[in-house]
Amino acid sequence: MSSSDRGKGFAEGSSSFGIDHHHQHHQHQPTPATPSRYESQKRRDWNTFGQYLKNQRPPVALSQCNCNHVLDFLRYLDQFGKTKVHLQGCMFYGQPEPPAPCTCPLRQAWGSLDALIGRLRAAYEENGGFPETNPFASGAIRVYLREVRECQAKARGIPYKKKKKKPDQGKGMSGEATSTGMQF
């Protein structure tokens, strides 16, 4: 039964983690020209960033791009965000599930920004940029992303302290694991 189910999964293109890598490798060979979802997204992100630089006044050449341009781009993207981030003065600040709407802004979610920076960092080097001058790999970008992550966590009422209190079983062990897991 399991061998026939396994074969059926391969035929249907199953993405199970238990797939034999040798078989999976051959499965991808017939369509090498089709880029993966990641590659397509990376190309779109790279083109979007390039267009953003061209639209600056005055336009910015990619060779002149620095981490400040990247930070401005991330802030610009916030206007298209879908994640409600409560401001500190909002009565729903710190509530994971607010009972009513409020006027707090929508922002890009931290995870989306983090993934975007990863794709742009790779695209920069794939397009001839040197790793040592990669503006997407700047410490300022890492600091910005960390601040966004912490701000969004607090605004949603899920600061790191509350995660420690959540588990009822084995408080000492899970609390320690959670607190050490959150240090970066």
Side-chain angles (χ1 to χ4, degrees):
M1 181 170 111
S2 64
S3 63
S4 65
D5 288 343
R6 208 175 295 146
K8 183 179 177 185
F10 287 133
E12 293 171 354
S14 170
S15 60
S16 168
F17 290 109
I19 290 179
D20 174 24
H21 292 288
H22 179 72
H23 186 78
Q24 186 181 17
H25 178 70
H26 291 293
Q27 198 174 19
H28 291 294
Q29 279 185 338
T31 56
T34 305
S36 68
R37 182 174 177 223
Y38 170 80
E39 292 296 329
S40 297
Q41 186 63 53
K42 185 169 54 172
R43 185 173 49 243
R44 279 193 302 272
D45 293 339
W46 183 247
N47 291 338
T48 300
F49 182 70
Q51 191 61 49
Y52 172 81
L53 291 178
K54 286 178 189 172
N55 290 340
Q56 297 305 294
R57 292 183 187 176
V60 177
L62 194 57
S63 60
Q64 300 301 309
C65 170
N66 62 38
C67 68
N68 291 323
H69 296 107
V70 176
L71 291 170
D72 290 342
F73 178 64
L74 295 177
R75 291 183 192 109
Y76 160 78
L77 291 176
D78 269 339
Q79 67 184 306
F80 308 110
K82 296 175 184 164
T83 299
K84 177 74 77 169
V85 180
H86 298 288
L87 303 174
Q88 265 190 302
C90 177
M91 66 177 159
F92 301 134
Y93 181 83
Q95 292 187 25
E97 297 178 30
C102 67
T103 58
C104 291
L106 294 173
R107 303 273 189 236
Q108 289 289 338
W110 167 79
S112 298
L113 294 176
D114 188 52
L116 171 69
I117 288 299
R119 290 188 300 267
L120 289 173
R121 184 177 180 171
Y124 178 85
E125 293 176 19
E126 288 170 11
N127 285 283
F130 296 108
E132 55 274 7
T133 60
N134 191 331
F136 303 100
S138 162
I141 304 300
R142 286 191 298 274
V143 168
Y144 177 79
L145 290 174
R146 186 179 331 124
E147 289 172 356
V148 168
R149 182 187 67 205
E150 291 170 2
C151 172
Q152 290 185 4
K154 288 177 185 172
R156 291 189 192 123
I158 51 170
Y160 303 133
K161 295 175 199 167
K162 287 193 178 182
K163 284 190 175 184
K164 279 197 252 181
K165 294 178 185 176
K166 213 173 186 180
D168 290 334
Q169 299 173 338
K171 286 183 183 178
M173 292 297 286
S174 62
E176 288 172 26
T178 303
S179 65
T180 51
M182 289 301 181
Q183 294 174 0
F184 289 92

Coordinates of all heavy atoms in Angstrom, one line a residue, residues 91-123:
M91 N -5.7 52.3 21.7 CA -6.2 51.5 22.8 C -6.1 50.0 22.5 O -6.2 49.2 23.5 CB -7.6 51.9 23.1 CG -8.7 51.6 22.1 SD -10.3 52.1 22.8 CE -11.2 52.3 21.3
F92 N -5.8 49.6 21.3 CA -5.6 48.2 21.0 C -4.2 47.8 20.9 O -3.9 46.7 20.6 CB -6.3 47.9 19.6 CG -7.8 48.2 19.6 CD1 -8.3 48.9 18.6 CD2 -8.6 47.8 20.7 CE1 -9.7 49.1 18.5 CE2 -10.0 48.1 20.7 CZ -10.5 48.7 19.6
Y93 N -3.3 48.7 21.2 CA -1.8 48.4 21.2 C -1.6 47.3 22.2 O -2.0 47.3 23.3 CB -1.0 49.6 21.6 CG 0.5 49.4 21.6 CD1 1.2 49.5 20.4 CD2 1.2 49.1 22.8 CE1 2.6 49.3 20.4 CE2 2.5 48.9 22.8 CZ 3.2 49.0 21.6 OH 4.6 48.8 21.6
G94 N -0.9 46.3 21.7 CA -0.6 45.1 22.5 C -1.7 44.1 22.6 O -1.5 43.1 23.3
Q95 N -2.8 44.2 21.9 CA -3.8 43.2 21.9 C -3.7 42.4 20.6 O -3.8 42.9 19.5 CB -5.2 43.9 21.9 CG -5.5 44.6 23.2 CD -6.9 45.1 23.2 OE1 -7.8 44.5 22.6 NE2 -7.2 46.1 24.1
P96 N -3.5 41.1 20.8 CA -3.4 40.2 19.6 C -4.6 40.2 18.7 O -4.5 40.1 17.5 CB -3.2 38.8 20.2 CG -3.0 39.0 21.6 CD -3.4 40.4 22.0
E97 N -5.8 40.3 19.3 CA -7.0 40.3 18.4 C -7.9 41.4 18.9 O -8.8 41.2 19.7 CB -7.7 38.9 18.6 CG -6.9 37.8 18.1 CD -7.6 36.4 18.2 OE1 -8.8 36.4 18.2 OE2 -6.9 35.5 18.4
P98 N -7.7 42.6 18.3 CA -8.5 43.8 18.7 C -10.0 43.6 18.4 O -10.3 43.0 17.4 CB -8.0 44.9 17.9 CG -6.8 44.4 17.3 CD -6.7 43.0 17.3
P99 N -10.9 44.0 19.3 CA -12.3 43.8 19.1 C -13.0 44.7 18.1 O -14.1 44.5 17.7 CB -12.9 44.1 20.5 CG -11.9 45.0 21.2 CD -10.6 44.6 20.6
A100 N -12.3 45.8 17.7 CA -12.9 46.7 16.8 C -11.8 47.3 15.9 O -10.7 47.2 16.2 CB -13.6 47.8 17.6
P101 N -12.3 48.0 14.8 CA -11.3 48.6 13.9 C -10.7 49.9 14.5 O -11.2 50.4 15.4 CB -12.1 49.0 12.6 CG -13.5 48.8 13.0 CD -13.6 48.0 14.3
C102 N -9.5 50.3 14.0 CA -8.9 51.5 14.5 C -8.2 52.2 13.3 O -8.2 51.6 12.2 CB -7.9 51.2 15.6 SG -6.5 50.3 15.0
T103 N -7.6 53.3 13.5 CA -7.0 54.1 12.4 C -5.5 53.9 12.3 O -4.9 54.6 11.5 CB -7.3 55.6 12.6 OG1 -6.7 56.0 13.9 CG2 -8.8 55.9 12.6
C104 N -5.0 52.9 13.0 CA -3.6 52.6 12.9 C -3.2 52.2 11.5 O -4.0 51.6 10.8 CB -3.2 51.6 13.9 SG -3.3 52.1 15.6
P105 N -1.9 52.5 11.1 CA -1.5 52.2 9.7 C -1.3 50.7 9.4 O -1.1 49.9 10.2 CB -0.2 52.9 9.6 CG 0.3 52.9 11.0 CD -0.9 53.0 11.9
L106 N -1.4 50.4 8.1 CA -1.1 49.1 7.6 C 0.4 49.2 7.1 O 0.8 50.2 6.6 CB -2.0 48.8 6.4 CG -3.4 48.5 6.7 CD1 -4.2 48.3 5.4 CD2 -3.6 47.3 7.6
R107 N 1.1 48.2 7.4 CA 2.5 48.1 7.1 C 2.9 46.8 6.4 O 2.1 45.8 6.5 CB 3.4 48.2 8.3 CG 3.1 49.5 9.1 CD 4.0 50.6 8.6 NE 4.0 51.7 9.5 CZ 3.6 53.0 9.1 NH1 3.3 53.2 7.9 NH2 3.6 53.9 10.0
Q108 N 4.1 46.7 5.8 CA 4.6 45.4 5.3 C 4.9 44.6 6.6 O 5.5 45.1 7.5 CB 5.8 45.6 4.5 CG 5.6 46.3 3.2 CD 4.8 45.3 2.2 OE1 4.9 44.1 2.3 NE2 4.2 45.9 1.2
A109 N 4.6 43.3 6.5 CA 4.9 42.4 7.6 C 6.4 42.2 7.6 O 7.1 42.1 6.6 CB 4.2 41.1 7.5
W110 N 7.0 42.1 8.8 CA 8.4 41.8 9.0 C 8.9 40.7 8.1 O 9.9 40.8 7.5 CB 8.8 41.6 10.5 CG 10.2 41.1 10.6 CD1 11.3 41.8 10.5 CD2 10.6 39.7 10.7 NE1 12.4 41.0 10.6 CE2 12.0 39.7 10.7 CE3 9.9 38.5 10.8 CZ2 12.7 38.5 10.8 CZ3 10.6 37.3 10.9 CH2 12.0 37.3 10.9
G111 N 8.2 39.6 8.2 CA 8.6 38.4 7.4 C 8.7 38.6 5.9 O 9.6 38.1 5.3
S112 N 7.8 39.4 5.4 CA 7.8 39.8 4.0 C 9.0 40.6 3.6 O 9.7 40.4 2.6 CB 6.6 40.5 3.6 OG 5.4 39.8 3.8
L113 N 9.4 41.6 4.5 CA 10.5 42.4 4.3 C 11.8 41.6 4.4 O 12.7 41.8 3.6 CB 10.6 43.6 5.3 CG 9.4 44.6 5.2 CD1 9.6 45.6 6.3 CD2 9.5 45.3 3.8
D114 N 11.9 40.7 5.4 CA 13.0 39.9 5.5 C 13.3 39.0 4.3 O 14.4 38.9 3.8 CB 12.9 39.0 6.8 CG 14.1 38.3 7.2 OD1 15.2 38.9 7.3 OD2 14.0 37.0 7.4
A115 N 12.2 38.4 3.8 CA 12.4 37.5 2.6 C 12.7 38.4 1.4 O 13.6 38.0 0.6 CB 11.0 36.8 2.4
L116 N 12.2 39.6 1.3 CA 12.5 40.5 0.2 C 14.0 40.8 0.2 O 14.6 40.8 -0.9 CB 11.6 41.8 0.3 CG 12.0 42.9 -0.7 CD1 11.7 42.5 -2.1 CD2 11.3 44.2 -0.3
I117 N 14.5 41.2 1.3 CA 15.9 41.6 1.4 C 16.8 40.4 1.1 O 17.8 40.5 0.4 CB 16.2 42.1 2.8 CG1 15.6 43.5 3.0 CG2 17.7 42.1 3.1 CD1 16.1 44.5 2.1
G118 N 16.4 39.2 1.5 CA 17.2 38.0 1.1 C 17.2 37.8 -0.4 O 18.3 37.5 -1.0
R119 N 16.1 38.0 -1.1 CA 16.0 37.8 -2.5 C 16.8 39.0 -3.2 O 17.6 38.7 -4.2 CB 14.6 37.9 -3.0 CG 13.8 36.6 -2.7 CD 12.5 36.6 -3.3 NE 11.6 37.7 -3.0 CZ 10.7 37.7 -2.0 NH1 10.5 36.6 -1.2 NH2 10.0 38.8 -1.8
L120 N 16.7 40.2 -2.8 CA 17.4 41.3 -3.4 C 18.9 41.2 -3.1 O 19.7 41.5 -4.0 CB 16.9 42.6 -2.8 CG 15.5 43.0 -3.3 CD1 15.0 44.3 -2.6 CD2 15.5 43.2 -4.9
R121 N 19.3 40.7 -2.0 CA 20.7 40.5 -1.7 C 21.3 39.5 -2.7 O 22.4 39.7 -3.2 CB 20.9 40.0 -0.2 CG 22.3 39.8 0.3 CD 22.3 39.4 1.7 NE 23.6 39.2 2.2 CZ 23.9 39.0 3.4 NH1 23.0 38.9 4.3 NH2 25.2 38.8 3.8
A122 N 20.6 38.4 -2.9 CA 21.1 37.4 -3.9 C 21.1 38.0 -5.3 O 22.1 37.8 -6.0 CB 20.2 36.2 -3.8
A123 N 20.1 38.7 -5.7 CA 20.0 39.3 -7.0 C 21.1 40.3 -7.3 O 21.6 40.3 -8.4 CB 18.6 39.9 -7.2

